[in-house]
Amino acid sequence: MKEQINNIKKNSIKEIEKAENLVELNNLKVKYLGKKGELTVVLRGMGSLAPEERPKIGELVNQVRDELNILFEQKEKELKKKELINRIENENIDVTEPSKKSTLGSLHPITQIIKEVEEIFLGMGYEIADGPEVEKAIYNFDKLNTPPDHPARDIQDTFYITDDILLRSQTSPVQARVMETQKPPIKIICPGAVYRSDSVDATHSPVFHQIEGLVVDKNISMADLKGTLEIFAKKCLGENTKIRFRPHHFPFTEPSAEADVSCFVCGGKGCRVCKGEGWIELLGCGMVHPNVLNFCGIDPEEYTGFAFGFGVERIAMAKFGIEDMRLLFENDVRFLKQF
Ligand code: DAH
């Protein structure tokens, strides 16, 4: 039996040494020292020994068990340390590894133009005004001297929600809203989306953007309008830009004009962007019609004003060389990334 015990000891020592992790070690503990472990089984078999042998064998088993327990404890410490080191190594963060790129978006070309125009007019002392896109017909038309039989009010041209409520077809209603609530001097611009019942093609979209301008004060004249637009055109489109006025008609201005700018791509010689004309139509403008001032509670005998309005898409397309307006609304990142 002594030999059996010594064999158990030898084998167990070897196996403990070889154990590679805590699970293996624990299994060995069960195998040798557990309730049904090899050493325990030997103890149980002591009944068959001569009485004088029993204490000796008992002592030997106890001694071996104590030794093994110490070995198990040492090995456990060693393995725990090894596992900790492994974990630290595996979880090590390599700070030199390149990080995942987070892509930052950029402003839409339309937003870029709006911001640029805002900066120019803020620099000239203007304020930025805002108005609803779902607008009352009275602001979009009546107060702008556009009577019920005017063609712009046709069901073919404007999106109606009810007879009296519509999607604004221009930013001009903001003029009326501002004049009703603010006393002159008034100097505002109003950028925003407008809607018209147009079918989509390379130069038309049922939604597009305009920027409206309005100045009302004592002694405002057509000369102020021309000077203002000239400064604006030069700042926005380049110092060499020339501007010309053509007589036109708008219900809410009298006199009215359309303003063209010399082509800022070819400088006026004629190219694809200006379609060989040398000039690009830029905006509508004029002196605020006395009726409009009256409708909005401002005395036209005391005050005069000028107003203008232009499409943002047209400027963006000319400035960035975009040939198809649809690109501006498709929101394809491959397109938008270029600006
Ligand atoms: N609202 C006009 C349009 O949509 C543009 C315009 C023309 C605005 C003349 C004005 C203006 O303020 O004075 O075509």
Side-chain angles (χ1 to χ4, degrees):
M1 193 168 263
K2 246 191 194 168
E3 206 185 309
Q4 198 188 349
I5 296 170
N6 280 329
N7 274 341
I8 293 175
K9 182 178 162 183
K10 249 203 300 190
N11 290 341
S12 61
I13 289 176
K14 248 195 245 160
E15 284 199 80
I16 291 171
E17 247 168 41
K18 276 199 269 173
E20 287 193 344
N21 56 52
L22 289 168
V23 177
E24 262 181 60
L25 190 68
N26 202 43
N27 289 342
L28 288 177
K29 212 168 178 177
V30 173
K31 179 176 172 191
Y32 291 106
L33 303 179
K35 267 189 202 161
K36 291 176 188 166
E38 291 186 18
L39 216 50
T40 321
V41 170
V42 172
L43 270 180
R44 286 213 187 109
M46 283 217 302
S48 61
L49 293 176
E52 68 273 17
E53 284 288 304
R54 285 179 204 166
K56 285 188 203 155
I57 296 295
E59 202 183 322
L60 182 61
V61 169
N62 282 341
Q63 197 191 323
V64 169
R65 185 197 285 131
D66 288 348
E67 280 176 39
L68 289 183
N69 266 328
I70 291 174
L71 281 182
F72 273 118
E73 230 171 84
Q74 281 174 350
K75 188 71 183 181
E76 190 179 321
K77 268 192 200 158
E78 188 188 307
L79 286 176
K80 274 189 175 159
K81 201 170 152 191
K82 201 172 112 189
E83 283 189 8
L84 182 66
I85 288 171
N86 271 346
R87 233 180 73 196
I88 291 173
E89 274 175 4
N90 287 338
E91 287 175 10
N92 193 9
I93 296 166
D94 181 0
V95 291
T96 65
E97 214 172 81
S99 61
K100 274 190 204 140
K101 251 198 197 158
S102 57
T103 46
L104 198 59
S106 59
L107 293 178
H108 190 279
I110 294 295
T111 312
Q112 287 183 36
I113 299 287
I114 290 175
K115 294 228 166 227
E116 196 184 325
V117 174
E118 281 179 355
E119 280 307 311
I120 293 171
F121 281 99
L122 284 170
M124 294 196 271
Y126 284 64
E127 283 176 53
I128 294 163
D130 200 8
E133 290 175 26
V134 178
E135 182 57 285
K136 293 180 175 157
I138 191 168
Y139 283 107
N140 197 70
F141 293 126
D142 302 74
K143 284 178 191 276
L144 297 172
N145 203 30
T146 311
D149 54 4
H150 193 280
R153 298 184 70 143
D154 198 289
I155 190 108
Q156 302 282 331
D157 295 324
T158 300
F159 292 118
Y160 286 89
I161 288 162
T162 66
D163 285 348
D164 314 318
I165 298 175
L166 44 76
L167 296 183
R168 69 178 180 195
S169 62
Q170 48 188 354
T171 41
S172 306
V174 181
Q175 289 186 21
R177 286 183 171 273
V178 170
M179 283 190 272
E180 270 188 0
T181 52
Q182 253 170 263
K183 290 231 152 323
I186 293 169
K187 265 175 106 174
I188 55 123
I189 59 159
C190 164
V194 301
Y195 303 84
R196 289 191 196 170
S197 185
D198 282 330
S199 10
V200 176
D201 64 27
T203 52
H204 291 88
S205 161
V207 52
F208 58 102
H209 298 79
Q210 286 188 333
I211 299 180
E212 189 82 12
L214 173 72
V215 172
V216 181
D217 203 352
K218 288 181 173 153
N219 301 320
I220 297 293
S221 74
M222 194 89 181
D224 298 311
L225 170 64
K226 287 187 82 172
T228 302
L229 292 180
E230 210 167 286
I231 290 175
F232 162 64
K234 283 185 193 299
K235 288 211 165 152
C236 184
L237 304 170
E239 272 309 308
N240 297 326
T241 307
K242 289 195 237 353
I243 190 162
R244 77 175 183 194
F245 288 76
R246 283 179 287 107
H248 201 78
H249 168 78
F250 295 104
F252 33 87
T253 40
E254 180 59 37
S256 302
E258 271 192 338
D260 305 329
V261 283
S262 54
C263 179
F264 42 87
V265 175
C266 63
K269 285 188 212 93
C271 69
R272 226 158 43 122
V273 173
C274 61
K275 300 194 180 79
E277 297 273 321
W279 294 92
I280 295 174
E281 189 186 312
L282 185 66
L283 50 73
C285 60
M287 299 305 293
V288 181
H289 197 294
N291 284 353
V292 174
L293 292 172
N294 253 330
F295 292 151
C296 299
I298 291 175
D299 182 0
E301 298 295 330
E302 194 179 353
Y303 294 103
T304 50
F306 68 73
F308 58 87
F310 58 86
V312 181
E313 278 74 7
R314 172 170 297 193
I315 297 195
M317 287 168 76
K319 244 186 126 156
F320 294 126
I322 299 166
E323 294 192 351
D324 193 322
M325 197 192 279
R326 287 170 284 206
L327 290 165
L328 290 168
F329 296 103
E330 281 166 358
N331 289 340
D332 186 329
V333 176
R334 290 167 301 178
F335 167 75
L336 294 174
K337 253 191 191 161
Q338 303 171 40
F339 306 98

